[in-house]
Amino acid sequence: MTSRAVVIGPWEYAADAGVPRYEEIGVSAAQYGKVLADNPMWGEDRCRVLTKEEVDTADGVMAALEEEAGRTGTGDVFLVVYVGHGAYWGDVPGAEVHFSVGSSYDGKPWTWLSSWYLYRAMRLCRADLKVLIADCCYSNMLPHLGNGLDTLPGVFDDAGQGTCVLTALKDDNIRAWPLGCTELPGELAKCTPFSGHLLDVLQRGTTDYRPHITLGLLRDAVVSEMRRCRFDHDKPRMLLNDARESRALFTNRMDAALREPRPGSPVSAKEWVAALLRGNGCDLEELLQDPRKTGEVVALLRTSSREGAAAIAQHLEERASALFRSHDFARYWNKAERALRA
């Protein structure tokens, strides 16, 4: 396995650049390198934190990015972490979010790195799973990293292919708060809030029963931790394209004795929906024994805004159409129709 991680964290700029310097950005980049090096699924030899010279220019960043991307192959993960400033200009051709580099100047788009170039390098690499973690302003305006499809056909198989974009911002707020969160321990308190809380999850692990932190679990754990914090933080966002929430990304560092026991089978329709979206390896045959509940689950999935919900609903509908006969299909369809109209 040759999975690779690249951490990009420019925080020093020319005195007249008009771009604020935040030490939290540099500390965050260094901590990503440290935490990833200490995580058994990664290790020091698979994580590259770009140097000051490399992040000074767009060319330096892209050269390093393409070099590491070229080292990945089938079955690998290519993880890119960007911590820094983000900007967006709607009056330039192909308006996209731009990332700052050390030579960026405020109000001069040509001195910034267009996210399009970073996306292109990631898409072209041979890794099965490509993950971008973006901690910057305007990160909520970043699009899918994949080919733009809205469904997740791989949600029930083991291919593990696809893309994931995890951003520090979710809603209309375009400004990511850069100053550290004093509720975090040690050096993490000197990181940006989003990166600090995310790194805290990776460093401590979670009480989830699984030995690995999956894509969905990472998002949920970071959101949960930031909500419990006494400071008000922005809400992260995750965009998946042909990637499953159940794909493992990091080792769960929590002592196995302190984790929660493996849950039993879901009972209510809402529990089934949550389990299916999380990819908990539920026995669909158990659900399909109850036509009414299957119909309710399909309806909840159809009205859900969660990534992959539509694909799972379609899969269940196809199974139901093939399995249910006469009165059983009527019970299923009646429940689904009623739930959709509710």
Side-chain angles (χ1 to χ4, degrees):
M1 182 177 179
T2 54
S3 296
R4 308 295 296 180
V6 177
V7 181
I8 309 163
W11 70 278
E12 295 186 88
Y13 304 88
D16 60 344
V19 181
R21 296 175 57 180
Y22 293 108
E23 291 188 12
E24 285 84 354
I25 293 172
V27 174
S28 296
Q31 287 299 306
Y32 273 111
K34 179 180 178 181
V35 172
L36 287 173
D38 192 45
N39 194 278
M41 279 193 69
W42 291 92
E44 188 175 0
D45 59 334
R46 294 179 184 168
C47 178
R48 178 174 175 179
V49 180
L50 301 194
T51 64
K52 179 186 181 304
E53 290 71 27
E54 288 172 321
V55 301
D56 264 349
T57 65
D59 183 66
V61 171
M62 291 307 302
L65 195 69
E66 291 196 338
E67 180 181 344
E68 295 303 319
R71 295 178 176 176
T72 62
T74 303
D76 292 337
V77 178
F78 187 42
L79 169 64
V80 177
V81 180
Y82 176 82
V83 190
H85 290 285
Y88 184 89
W89 291 277
D91 57 349
V92 299
E96 299 284 352
V97 175
H98 288 65
F99 300 126
S100 70
V101 292
S103 55
S104 294
Y105 275 73
D106 183 35
K108 297 182 179 181
W110 59 92
T111 64
W112 295 56
L113 172 62
S114 171
S115 59
W116 188 91
Y117 295 112
L118 186 145
Y119 270 46
R120 181 178 184 273
M122 294 185 71
R123 286 182 181 129
L124 291 177
C125 83
R126 293 172 296 170
D128 282 351
L129 178 65
K130 300 145 191 184
V131 180
L132 170 64
I133 298 176
D135 185 1
C136 63
C137 295
Y138 293 94
S139 58
N140 53 335
M141 297 181 69
L142 287 166
H144 280 277
L145 176 57
N147 57 12
L149 298 177
D150 293 325
T151 57
L152 305 177
V155 73
F156 285 111
D157 62 35
D158 295 321
Q161 299 179 355
T163 67
C164 171
V165 178
L166 178 61
T167 65
L169 299 174
K170 178 180 181 180
D171 299 320
D172 295 334
N173 181 23
I174 58 175
R175 304 294 180 190
W177 185 251
L179 303 181
C181 175
T182 55
E183 287 291 286
L184 290 165
E187 287 295 300
L188 299 185
K190 302 175 184 178
C191 296
T192 65
F194 170 70
S195 288
H197 280 284
L198 188 154
L199 289 164
D200 192 37
V201 169
L202 299 186
Q203 196 165 265
R204 292 187 299 107
T206 80
T207 57
D208 188 88
Y209 70 93
R210 282 166 289 193
H212 298 107
I213 295 178
T214 64
L215 292 175
L217 180 57
L218 175 64
R219 177 203 56 222
D220 294 346
V222 173
V223 169
S224 178
E225 180 168 309
M226 294 179 87
R227 282 178 176 168
R228 288 197 301 268
C229 183
R230 68 186 181 94
F231 296 108
D232 187 25
H233 293 304
D234 297 309
K235 297 177 182 177
R237 180 188 71 159
M238 178 176 280
L239 292 174
L240 299 175
N241 191 82
D242 286 353
R244 293 167 289 118
E245 287 198 8
S246 59
R247 176 62 191 259
L249 193 59
F250 304 102
T251 300
N252 187 353
R253 303 307 304 273
M254 181 70 70
D255 188 325
L258 301 177
R259 296 184 212 150
E260 299 169 352
R262 184 184 179 92
S265 297
V267 177
S268 69
K270 288 185 177 180
E271 289 175 346
W272 272 103
V273 169
L276 289 170
L277 286 172
R278 185 69 70 79
N280 280 1
C282 303
D283 184 3
L284 286 182
E285 303 306 320
E286 181 179 343
L287 172 62
L288 289 166
Q289 290 177 13
D290 188 335
R292 288 192 176 90
K293 185 169 291 183
T294 302
E296 189 175 354
V297 169
V298 168
L300 289 173
L301 288 167
R302 283 295 183 193
T303 56
S304 173
S305 60
R306 287 279 295 275
E307 298 286 337
I312 300 174
Q314 181 178 345
H315 180 86
L316 280 174
E317 286 178 338
E318 292 171 354
R319 292 290 306 276
S321 297
L323 181 65
F324 298 147
R325 294 289 182 269
S326 60
H327 61 283
D328 282 340
F329 185 81
R331 290 193 186 101
Y332 154 76
W333 187 250
N334 183 48
K335 189 65 177 181
E337 284 287 285
R338 286 185 178 181
L340 283 170
R341 290 197 299 268

